[in-house]
Amino acid sequence: DARGPCASCGRLAMVRIMRVLACVAGAAALATGPAKHAARPRTAVKAAAAATEQEPLLLRAARGEKVERTPVWMMRQAGRHMKVYRDLVAKYPTFRERSEIPEAALEISLQPFRAYGVDGVILFSDILTPLPAMGVEFQISEGGAISIPPIRTEADLAKFKGKGEFDATTACPFVGEVLGKLREEVGNKATVLGFVGLPFTLASYLVEGKTGTTSGFAEVKKMREENPELLHGILSKLADNIGDYACYQVDQGAQVIQVFDSWAGHLPKDQYETFAMPYQKRVVEAIKAKHPSTPVIIYMAPDIHSKDGQFLDLLATTGVNCVSLDYTVDFADVRAKMPDHLALQGNLDPKLLRDGPLEKIKEETEKILQAGAHNGHVMNLGHGIEADTPEPHAKFFVDTVQGFRAK
Protein backbone atom coordinates (compact mmCIF):
# COMPACT_ATOMS: atom_id res chain seq x y z
CA ASP A 1 0.00 0.00 0.00
CA ALA A 2 1.74 3.16 -1.25
CA ARG A 3 -0.10 5.32 1.27
CA GLY A 4 1.52 3.57 4.28
CA PRO A 5 -0.04 3.18 7.70
CA CYS A 6 -0.67 6.88 8.24
CA ALA A 7 -3.51 6.66 5.74
CA SER A 8 -5.52 4.98 8.47
CA CYS A 9 -4.85 7.63 11.13
CA GLY A 10 -8.03 9.56 10.36
CA ARG A 11 -10.24 6.48 10.58
CA LEU A 12 -8.55 5.25 13.74
CA ALA A 13 -8.79 8.67 15.34
CA MET A 14 -12.50 8.88 14.57
CA VAL A 15 -13.10 5.42 16.06
CA ARG A 16 -11.26 6.45 19.24
CA ILE A 17 -13.14 9.75 19.51
CA MET A 18 -16.45 7.89 19.28
CA ARG A 19 -15.34 5.56 22.06
CA VAL A 20 -14.38 8.50 24.27
CA LEU A 21 -17.77 10.14 23.70
CA ALA A 22 -19.49 6.87 24.57
CA CYS A 23 -17.47 6.65 27.79
CA VAL A 24 -18.39 10.25 28.70
CA ALA A 25 -22.07 9.52 28.09
CA GLY A 26 -21.83 6.39 30.20
CA ALA A 27 -20.15 8.27 33.02
CA ALA A 28 -22.89 10.91 32.96
CA ALA A 29 -25.56 8.25 33.17
CA LEU A 30 -23.86 6.67 36.17
CA ALA A 31 -23.58 10.06 37.85
CA THR A 32 -27.34 10.64 37.66
CA GLY A 33 -28.45 7.07 38.31
CA PRO A 34 -28.32 4.88 41.39
CA ALA A 35 -24.90 3.80 42.63
CA LYS A 36 -23.73 0.43 41.31
CA HIS A 37 -20.90 -1.92 42.14
CA ALA A 38 -17.68 -1.37 40.19
CA ALA A 39 -17.39 -3.51 37.08
CA ARG A 40 -15.26 -6.61 37.49
CA PRO A 41 -12.81 -7.89 34.86
CA ARG A 42 -14.45 -10.04 32.20
CA THR A 43 -12.77 -13.17 33.53
CA ALA A 44 -14.21 -12.58 37.01
CA VAL A 45 -17.70 -11.98 35.66
CA LYS A 46 -17.72 -15.38 33.97
CA ALA A 47 -15.87 -17.31 36.66
CA ALA A 48 -18.99 -18.69 38.36
CA ALA A 49 -20.53 -19.91 35.11
CA ALA A 50 -17.28 -21.49 33.95
CA ALA A 51 -16.66 -23.25 37.26
CA THR A 52 -19.03 -26.07 36.37
CA GLU A 53 -17.52 -26.63 32.93
CA GLN A 54 -14.23 -28.31 32.10
CA GLU A 55 -11.54 -25.84 31.18
CA PRO A 56 -10.43 -25.72 27.52
CA LEU A 57 -8.00 -28.38 26.35
CA LEU A 58 -5.10 -26.10 25.45
CA LEU A 59 -5.32 -24.24 28.76
CA ARG A 60 -4.90 -27.49 30.67
CA ALA A 61 -2.07 -28.72 28.43
CA ALA A 62 -0.18 -25.43 28.76
CA ARG A 63 -0.20 -25.91 32.51
CA GLY A 64 1.56 -29.21 32.02
CA GLU A 65 -1.46 -31.41 32.66
CA LYS A 66 -1.98 -34.76 30.97
CA VAL A 67 -4.91 -34.37 28.59
CA GLU A 68 -7.11 -36.60 26.47
CA ARG A 69 -5.52 -35.44 23.19
CA THR A 70 -2.91 -32.91 22.13
CA PRO A 71 -4.29 -29.43 21.39
CA VAL A 72 -3.11 -27.51 18.34
CA TRP A 73 -2.83 -23.98 17.01
CA MET A 74 -0.33 -22.20 14.74
CA MET A 75 1.76 -19.11 15.33
CA ARG A 76 0.62 -16.39 12.88
CA GLN A 77 -2.43 -18.52 12.08
CA ALA A 78 -4.53 -15.40 11.53
CA GLY A 79 -3.14 -13.58 8.54
CA ARG A 80 -1.89 -13.55 5.00
CA HIS A 81 -2.04 -17.26 4.16
CA MET A 82 -5.87 -17.13 4.39
CA LYS A 83 -7.94 -15.77 1.51
CA VAL A 84 -10.61 -14.43 3.87
CA TYR A 85 -7.91 -12.31 5.49
CA ARG A 86 -6.61 -11.00 2.18
CA ASP A 87 -10.16 -10.14 1.16
CA LEU A 88 -10.44 -7.81 4.19
CA VAL A 89 -7.49 -5.72 3.04
CA ALA A 90 -9.69 -3.76 0.62
CA LYS A 91 -11.91 -2.65 3.51
CA TYR A 92 -9.11 -2.22 6.06
CA PRO A 93 -6.06 -1.36 3.92
CA THR A 94 -3.42 -1.04 6.66
CA PHE A 95 -2.18 -3.42 9.32
CA ARG A 96 -2.94 -0.98 12.13
CA GLU A 97 -6.53 -0.66 10.97
CA ARG A 98 -6.90 -4.43 10.86
CA SER A 99 -5.40 -4.85 14.33
CA GLU A 100 -6.81 -1.76 16.08
CA ILE A 101 -10.38 -1.55 14.79
CA PRO A 102 -12.17 -4.07 17.02
CA GLU A 103 -14.58 -5.53 14.48
CA ALA A 104 -11.70 -6.19 12.06
CA ALA A 105 -9.35 -7.66 14.69
CA LEU A 106 -12.14 -9.86 16.07
CA GLU A 107 -13.05 -11.23 12.65
CA ILE A 108 -9.43 -11.93 11.73
CA SER A 109 -8.72 -13.61 15.07
CA LEU A 110 -11.66 -15.95 14.53
CA GLN A 111 -10.93 -16.87 10.90
CA PRO A 112 -8.58 -19.83 11.66
CA PHE A 113 -10.95 -21.11 14.34
CA ARG A 114 -13.82 -21.18 11.86
CA ALA A 115 -11.76 -22.61 9.00
CA TYR A 116 -9.61 -25.17 10.81
CA GLY A 117 -11.14 -25.69 14.25
CA VAL A 118 -7.88 -24.89 16.05
CA ASP A 119 -7.81 -25.34 19.83
CA GLY A 120 -6.23 -21.95 20.42
CA VAL A 121 -7.46 -18.55 19.22
CA ILE A 122 -4.82 -15.86 19.50
CA LEU A 123 -5.52 -12.16 19.46
CA PHE A 124 -4.72 -10.59 16.07
CA SER A 125 -2.32 -7.84 17.03
CA ASP A 126 1.40 -7.03 17.06
CA ILE A 127 4.13 -6.86 19.68
CA LEU A 128 4.46 -3.14 18.85
CA THR A 129 0.80 -2.39 19.59
CA PRO A 130 1.37 -1.10 23.17
CA LEU A 131 4.12 1.35 22.14
CA PRO A 132 1.77 4.34 21.62
CA ALA A 133 0.62 3.84 25.22
CA MET A 134 4.27 4.48 26.14
CA GLY A 135 4.45 7.65 24.04
CA VAL A 136 6.16 5.95 21.09
CA GLU A 137 4.39 6.01 17.73
CA PHE A 138 5.22 3.49 15.02
CA GLN A 139 4.44 2.84 11.39
CA ILE A 140 4.30 -0.54 9.70
CA SER A 141 3.96 -0.97 5.96
CA GLU A 142 2.10 -3.72 4.15
CA GLY A 143 5.48 -5.21 3.32
CA GLY A 144 6.37 -5.32 7.02
CA ALA A 145 8.80 -2.38 7.10
CA ILE A 146 8.75 -0.68 10.51
CA SER A 147 9.55 2.91 11.36
CA ILE A 148 9.93 4.19 14.95
CA PRO A 149 11.52 7.39 16.32
CA PRO A 150 14.69 5.90 17.85
CA ILE A 151 15.72 6.12 21.50
CA ARG A 152 19.51 6.51 21.57
CA THR A 153 20.33 9.22 24.12
CA GLU A 154 19.75 9.96 27.80
CA ALA A 155 17.37 12.72 26.73
CA ASP A 156 15.41 10.23 24.62
CA LEU A 157 15.19 7.88 27.61
CA ALA A 158 14.05 10.67 29.92
CA LYS A 159 11.27 11.51 27.48
CA PHE A 160 10.33 7.81 27.27
CA LYS A 161 10.20 7.49 31.05
CA GLY A 162 8.38 10.81 31.37
CA LYS A 163 5.28 9.50 29.64
CA GLY A 164 3.98 8.49 33.06
CA GLU A 165 1.93 5.51 34.12
CA PHE A 166 1.25 2.87 31.48
CA ASP A 167 -2.51 2.62 30.97
CA ALA A 168 -3.64 0.04 28.42
CA THR A 169 -7.29 0.71 29.24
CA THR A 170 -7.01 4.22 27.87
CA ALA A 171 -4.39 3.76 25.17
CA CYS A 172 -5.39 0.42 23.63
CA PRO A 173 -8.94 -0.43 24.77
CA PHE A 174 -9.51 -2.27 21.48
CA VAL A 175 -7.24 -5.06 22.77
CA GLY A 176 -9.46 -5.66 25.79
CA GLU A 177 -12.62 -5.38 23.73
CA VAL A 178 -11.48 -8.02 21.24
CA LEU A 179 -10.26 -10.42 23.94
CA GLY A 180 -13.58 -10.23 25.77
CA LYS A 181 -15.54 -10.87 22.59
CA LEU A 182 -13.28 -13.78 21.67
CA ARG A 183 -14.11 -15.44 24.99
CA GLU A 184 -17.80 -14.98 24.27
CA GLU A 185 -17.45 -16.38 20.75
CA VAL A 186 -15.42 -19.52 21.45
CA GLY A 187 -16.60 -20.40 24.97
CA ASN A 188 -14.81 -23.52 26.15
CA LYS A 189 -14.36 -24.88 22.62
CA ALA A 190 -10.95 -23.16 22.39
CA THR A 191 -8.46 -21.29 24.54
CA VAL A 192 -8.01 -17.56 24.02
CA LEU A 193 -4.36 -16.49 23.92
CA GLY A 194 -2.91 -13.04 24.38
CA PHE A 195 0.71 -12.18 23.69
CA VAL A 196 3.45 -9.63 24.28
CA GLY A 197 6.93 -8.91 23.04
CA LEU A 198 9.65 -9.18 25.67
CA PRO A 199 11.87 -6.22 26.60
CA PHE A 200 15.00 -7.00 24.61
CA THR A 201 13.11 -7.59 21.37
CA LEU A 202 11.06 -4.41 21.84
CA ALA A 203 14.17 -2.46 22.81
CA SER A 204 15.84 -3.56 19.59
CA TYR A 205 13.06 -1.81 17.64
CA LEU A 206 13.27 1.30 19.83
CA VAL A 207 17.03 1.62 19.52
CA GLU A 208 17.31 0.69 15.83
CA GLY A 209 14.19 2.64 14.85
CA LYS A 210 13.29 -0.29 12.59
CA THR A 211 13.75 -4.04 12.33
CA GLY A 212 17.37 -4.63 13.27
CA THR A 213 17.96 -7.65 11.05
CA THR A 214 18.88 -5.47 8.06
CA SER A 215 21.85 -3.95 9.90
CA GLY A 216 22.78 -6.83 12.17
CA PHE A 217 21.35 -4.86 15.12
CA ALA A 218 24.25 -2.41 14.78
CA GLU A 219 22.79 0.34 16.98
CA VAL A 220 21.85 -2.10 19.75
CA LYS A 221 25.35 -3.58 19.67
CA LYS A 222 26.85 -0.10 19.85
CA MET A 223 24.71 0.79 22.86
CA ARG A 224 25.53 -2.50 24.61
CA GLU A 225 29.22 -1.75 24.25
CA GLU A 226 29.33 2.02 24.74
CA ASN A 227 26.40 2.83 27.03
CA PRO A 228 25.00 -0.33 28.63
CA GLU A 229 23.30 1.63 31.41
CA LEU A 230 21.20 3.47 28.84
CA LEU A 231 20.09 0.16 27.37
CA HIS A 232 19.30 -1.19 30.84
CA GLY A 233 17.17 1.91 31.45
CA ILE A 234 15.14 1.22 28.31
CA LEU A 235 14.81 -2.47 29.17
CA SER A 236 13.71 -1.77 32.74
CA LYS A 237 10.95 0.62 31.67
CA LEU A 238 9.78 -1.85 29.04
CA ALA A 239 9.71 -4.69 31.58
CA ASP A 240 7.40 -2.71 33.86
CA ASN A 241 5.07 -1.68 31.04
CA ILE A 242 4.94 -5.06 29.31
CA GLY A 243 4.19 -6.81 32.60
CA ASP A 244 1.24 -4.46 33.08
CA TYR A 245 0.12 -4.95 29.47
CA ALA A 246 0.15 -8.75 29.79
CA CYS A 247 -1.87 -8.56 33.01
CA TYR A 248 -4.37 -6.26 31.29
CA GLN A 249 -4.86 -8.90 28.60
CA VAL A 250 -5.57 -11.56 31.23
CA ASP A 251 -7.99 -9.22 33.03
CA GLN A 252 -9.87 -8.78 29.78
CA GLY A 253 -10.14 -12.44 28.82
CA ALA A 254 -6.82 -13.97 27.75
CA GLN A 255 -6.47 -17.44 29.29
CA VAL A 256 -2.85 -18.02 28.23
CA ILE A 257 -0.11 -15.48 27.51
CA GLN A 258 2.65 -16.19 25.01
CA VAL A 259 5.76 -14.03 25.37
CA PHE A 260 8.10 -13.54 22.41
CA ASP A 261 11.79 -12.67 22.53
CA SER A 262 12.17 -13.04 18.81
CA TRP A 263 15.49 -11.20 18.39
CA ALA A 264 17.30 -12.23 21.59
CA GLY A 265 18.85 -15.22 19.84
CA HIS A 266 21.42 -13.07 18.06
CA LEU A 267 23.06 -12.31 21.44
CA PRO A 268 26.04 -14.36 22.65
CA LYS A 269 25.26 -16.25 25.84
CA ASP A 270 26.91 -13.81 28.26
CA GLN A 271 25.11 -10.87 26.61
CA TYR A 272 21.85 -12.79 26.60
CA GLU A 273 22.16 -13.43 30.33
CA THR A 274 22.81 -9.72 30.88
CA PHE A 275 20.41 -7.95 28.52
CA ALA A 276 17.58 -10.40 27.81
CA MET A 277 17.07 -13.06 30.46
CA PRO A 278 16.66 -10.82 33.56
CA TYR A 279 13.95 -8.84 31.82
CA GLN A 280 12.19 -11.96 30.57
CA LYS A 281 11.98 -13.07 34.20
CA ARG A 282 10.64 -9.69 35.33
CA VAL A 283 7.76 -9.84 32.87
CA VAL A 284 6.90 -13.43 33.81
CA GLU A 285 7.10 -12.57 37.51
CA ALA A 286 4.73 -9.64 36.99
CA ILE A 287 2.18 -11.90 35.28
CA LYS A 288 2.48 -14.60 37.93
CA ALA A 289 2.23 -12.11 40.81
CA LYS A 290 -1.22 -11.04 39.65
CA HIS A 291 -2.38 -14.15 37.77
CA PRO A 292 -0.55 -17.16 39.24
CA SER A 293 -2.78 -19.72 37.52
CA THR A 294 -2.43 -18.22 34.02
CA PRO A 295 -0.02 -20.30 31.91
CA VAL A 296 2.83 -18.43 30.22
CA ILE A 297 4.52 -19.76 27.07
CA ILE A 298 7.89 -18.39 25.92
CA TYR A 299 9.23 -18.48 22.36
CA MET A 300 12.53 -17.39 20.83
CA ALA A 301 13.17 -17.56 17.10
CA PRO A 302 16.16 -19.60 15.92
CA ASP A 303 19.16 -17.33 15.40
CA ILE A 304 22.93 -17.69 15.38
CA HIS A 305 23.14 -18.29 19.14
CA SER A 306 19.70 -19.77 19.84
CA LYS A 307 19.26 -22.32 17.04
CA ASP A 308 19.69 -26.02 17.78
CA GLY A 309 18.35 -25.49 21.30
CA GLN A 310 21.34 -23.55 22.64
CA PHE A 311 19.25 -21.42 25.04
CA LEU A 312 16.48 -23.88 25.91
CA ASP A 313 17.92 -24.64 29.35
CA LEU A 314 17.87 -20.91 30.12
CA LEU A 315 14.33 -20.42 28.81
CA ALA A 316 13.22 -23.24 31.12
CA THR A 317 14.34 -21.22 34.17
CA THR A 318 12.36 -18.05 33.41
CA GLY A 319 9.34 -19.11 35.45
CA VAL A 320 7.13 -19.97 32.49
CA ASN A 321 4.83 -22.99 32.29
CA CYS A 322 5.70 -23.88 28.71
CA VAL A 323 8.64 -23.46 26.32
CA SER A 324 7.83 -23.21 22.61
CA LEU A 325 10.43 -25.02 20.50
CA ASP A 326 11.69 -23.82 17.16
CA TYR A 327 12.06 -26.14 14.18
CA THR A 328 15.82 -26.68 14.55
CA VAL A 329 15.51 -29.14 17.47
CA ASP A 330 14.21 -32.69 17.83
CA PHE A 331 11.14 -32.70 20.06
CA ALA A 332 11.87 -36.09 21.65
CA ASP A 333 15.45 -35.09 22.51
CA VAL A 334 14.29 -31.88 24.19
CA ARG A 335 11.47 -33.63 26.06
CA ALA A 336 13.98 -36.06 27.55
CA LYS A 337 16.13 -33.20 28.86
CA MET A 338 13.48 -30.81 30.14
CA PRO A 339 11.92 -30.99 33.63
CA ASP A 340 8.78 -33.12 33.74
CA HIS A 341 6.63 -30.26 35.04
CA LEU A 342 7.49 -28.03 32.07
CA ALA A 343 5.09 -28.16 29.13
CA LEU A 344 6.44 -27.93 25.58
CA GLN A 345 4.95 -26.40 22.44
CA GLY A 346 5.82 -27.08 18.82
CA ASN A 347 7.52 -27.77 16.59
CA LEU A 348 6.70 -28.74 12.98
CA ASP A 349 8.84 -26.96 10.40
CA PRO A 350 6.60 -24.32 8.75
CA LYS A 351 8.37 -24.84 5.43
CA LEU A 352 7.35 -28.51 5.49
CA LEU A 353 3.77 -27.45 6.18
CA ARG A 354 3.94 -25.12 3.19
CA ASP A 355 5.66 -27.44 0.73
CA GLY A 356 4.35 -30.85 1.76
CA PRO A 357 3.70 -33.46 0.57
CA LEU A 358 0.79 -34.34 2.86
CA GLU A 359 2.27 -37.75 3.65
CA LYS A 360 5.43 -36.12 4.99
CA ILE A 361 3.42 -33.56 7.00
CA LYS A 362 1.52 -36.43 8.60
CA GLU A 363 4.66 -38.46 9.30
CA GLU A 364 6.56 -35.63 10.96
CA THR A 365 3.52 -34.37 12.86
CA GLU A 366 2.78 -37.80 14.31
CA LYS A 367 6.44 -38.29 15.24
CA ILE A 368 6.28 -35.14 17.36
CA LEU A 369 2.89 -36.06 18.80
CA GLN A 370 4.08 -39.51 19.85
CA ALA A 371 7.02 -37.92 21.68
CA GLY A 372 4.64 -35.56 23.44
CA ALA A 373 2.12 -38.31 24.22
CA HIS A 374 -0.60 -35.86 25.32
CA ASN A 375 1.49 -34.99 28.37
CA GLY A 376 1.97 -31.23 28.69
CA HIS A 377 2.28 -30.77 24.93
CA VAL A 378 0.72 -28.09 22.74
CA MET A 379 1.21 -28.84 19.05
CA ASN A 380 2.31 -25.90 16.96
CA LEU A 381 4.85 -24.92 14.34
CA GLY A 382 8.49 -24.15 15.06
CA HIS A 383 8.00 -20.60 13.70
CA GLY A 384 5.11 -18.60 12.26
CA ILE A 385 3.16 -20.11 9.38
CA GLU A 386 4.54 -19.07 5.98
CA ALA A 387 2.38 -16.55 4.12
CA ASP A 388 2.17 -18.78 1.03
CA THR A 389 1.10 -21.93 2.88
CA PRO A 390 -1.87 -23.59 1.12
CA GLU A 391 -4.95 -23.54 3.34
CA PRO A 392 -5.64 -27.26 2.72
CA HIS A 393 -2.21 -28.03 4.19
CA ALA A 394 -3.03 -26.07 7.35
CA LYS A 395 -6.38 -27.86 7.66
CA PHE A 396 -4.72 -31.24 7.12
CA PHE A 397 -2.19 -30.48 9.86
CA VAL A 398 -4.88 -29.53 12.37
CA ASP A 399 -7.00 -32.57 11.48
CA THR A 400 -3.96 -34.85 11.82
CA VAL A 401 -3.22 -33.55 15.30
CA GLN A 402 -6.81 -33.74 16.48
CA GLY A 403 -7.24 -37.28 15.14
CA PHE A 404 -4.07 -38.63 16.73
CA ARG A 405 -3.99 -40.74 19.88
CA ALA A 406 -0.67 -41.74 21.45
CA LYS A 407 0.24 -45.44 21.33
Side-chain angles (χ1 to χ4, degrees), residues 126-269:
D126 193 85
I127 62 172
L128 303 181
T129 294
L131 290 184
M134 307 178 204
V136 179
E137 285 298 330
F138 71 94
Q139 298 180 14
I140 180 167
S141 74
E142 283 304 284
I146 291 165
S147 176
I148 298 173
I151 298 176
R152 295 178 185 167
T153 67
E154 297 290 349
D156 293 337
L157 177 58
K159 183 179 178 182
F160 181 48
K161 288 183 173 180
K163 172 63 178 176
E165 192 102 5
F166 178 83
D167 184 6
T169 305
T170 300
C172 36
F174 48 88
V175 169
E177 183 177 341
V178 174
L179 286 167
K181 289 182 177 179
L182 284 174
R183 287 290 298 277
E184 293 170 6
E185 286 278 348
V186 305
N188 276 359
K189 296 190 292 291
T191 298
V192 173
L193 296 97
F195 71 96
V196 297
L198 286 166
F200 181 80
T201 290
L202 289 176
S204 74
Y205 287 103
L206 294 183
V207 175
E208 297 289 337
K210 58 182 180 179
T211 304
T213 51
T214 56
S215 64
F217 299 92
E219 292 293 338
V220 178
K221 183 178 181 181
K222 179 181 178 182
M223 189 177 291
R224 291 200 321 262
E225 295 173 349
E226 298 180 4
N227 197 346
E229 290 308 311
L230 177 58
L231 182 54
H232 280 298
I234 298 170
L235 290 165
S236 184
K237 182 63 174 177
L238 284 169
D240 291 341
N241 289 348
I242 292 303
D244 288 346
Y245 181 52
C247 288
Y248 167 75
Q249 292 187 31
V250 178
D251 287 338
Q252 298 303 308
Q255 296 164 291
V256 173
I257 295 290
Q258 178 149 325
V259 296
F260 291 86
D261 222 348
S262 306
W263 303 130
H266 85 272
L267 292 169
K269 185 177 180 181

Side-chain angles (χ1 to χ4, degrees), residues 63-351:
R63 287 189 185 132
E65 298 176 18
K66 188 172 181 64
V67 292
E68 55 273 25
R69 69 164 175 82
T70 303
V72 57
W73 69 286
M74 296 171 287
M75 289 186 284
R76 292 185 187 163
Q77 64 187 15
R80 290 173 295 168
H81 86 280
M82 300 191 74
K83 183 179 183 299
V84 286
Y85 172 85
R86 299 192 298 272
D87 289 345
L88 278 178
V89 173
K91 185 175 181 181
Y92 305 102
T94 71
F95 177 84
R96 288 193 64 176
E97 284 180 297
R98 296 190 291 276
S99 61
E100 296 181 24
I101 295 176
E103 56 267 29
L106 176 65
E107 172 62 24
I108 293 166
S109 300
L110 287 169
Q111 285 172 349
F113 176 68
R114 292 169 177 158
Y116 308 138
V118 287
D119 298 300
V121 177
I122 192 165
L123 170 73
F124 182 75
S125 187
D126 193 85
I127 62 172
L128 303 181
T129 294
L131 290 184
M134 307 178 204
V136 179
E137 285 298 330
F138 71 94
Q139 298 180 14
I140 180 167
S141 74
E142 283 304 284
I146 291 165
S147 176
I148 298 173
I151 298 176
R152 295 178 185 167
T153 67
E154 297 290 349
D156 293 337
L157 177 58
K159 183 179 178 182
F160 181 48
K161 288 183 173 180
K163 172 63 178 176
E165 192 102 5
F166 178 83
D167 184 6
T169 305
T170 300
C172 36
F174 48 88
V175 169
E177 183 177 341
V178 174
L179 286 167
K181 289 182 177 179
L182 284 174
R183 287 290 298 277
E184 293 170 6
E185 286 278 348
V186 305
N188 276 359
K189 296 190 292 291
T191 298
V192 173
L193 296 97
F195 71 96
V196 297
L198 286 166
F200 181 80
T201 290
L202 289 176
S204 74
Y205 287 103
L206 294 183
V207 175
E208 297 289 337
K210 58 182 180 179
T211 304
T213 51
T214 56
S215 64
F217 299 92
E219 292 293 338
V220 178
K221 183 178 181 181
K222 179 181 178 182
M223 189 177 291
R224 291 200 321 262
E225 295 173 349
E226 298 180 4
N227 197 346
E229 290 308 311
L230 177 58
L231 182 54
H232 280 298
I234 298 170
L235 290 165
S236 184
K237 182 63 174 177
L238 284 169
D240 291 341
N241 289 348
I242 292 303
D244 288 346
Y245 181 52
C247 288
Y248 167 75
Q249 292 187 31
V250 178
D251 287 338
Q252 298 303 308
Q255 296 164 291
V256 173
I257 295 290
Q258 178 149 325
V259 296
F260 291 86
D261 222 348
S262 306
W263 303 130
H266 85 272
L267 292 169
K269 185 177 180 181
D270 63 325
Q271 298 285 294
Y272 173 82
E273 292 177 320
T274 301
F275 293 104
M277 191 172 176
Y279 300 100
Q280 294 170 353
K281 289 183 174 180
R282 276 180 56 178
V283 171
V284 175
E285 287 166 1
I287 299 169
K288 290 299 185 179
K290 189 172 181 183
H291 299 286
S293 64
T294 298
V296 179
I297 304 171
I298 192 167
Y299 176 78
M300 183 188 303
D303 207 327
I304 184 169
H305 295 291
S306 60
K307 64 183 179 180
D308 302 320
Q310 295 177 74
F311 287 166
L312 287 179
D313 58 332
L314 299 178
L315 291 177
T317 67
T318 54
V320 298
N321 303 83
C322 180
V323 173
S324 191
L325 308 182
D326 68 52
Y327 56 87
T328 66
V329 298
D330 180 83
F331 187 95
D333 288 347
V334 175
R335 180 69 280 175
K337 297 172 185 175
M338 288 289 108
D340 290 341
H341 72 272
L342 191 71
L344 297 178
Q345 178 173 268
N347 65 329
L348 188 73
D349 188 336
K351 290 183 173 60

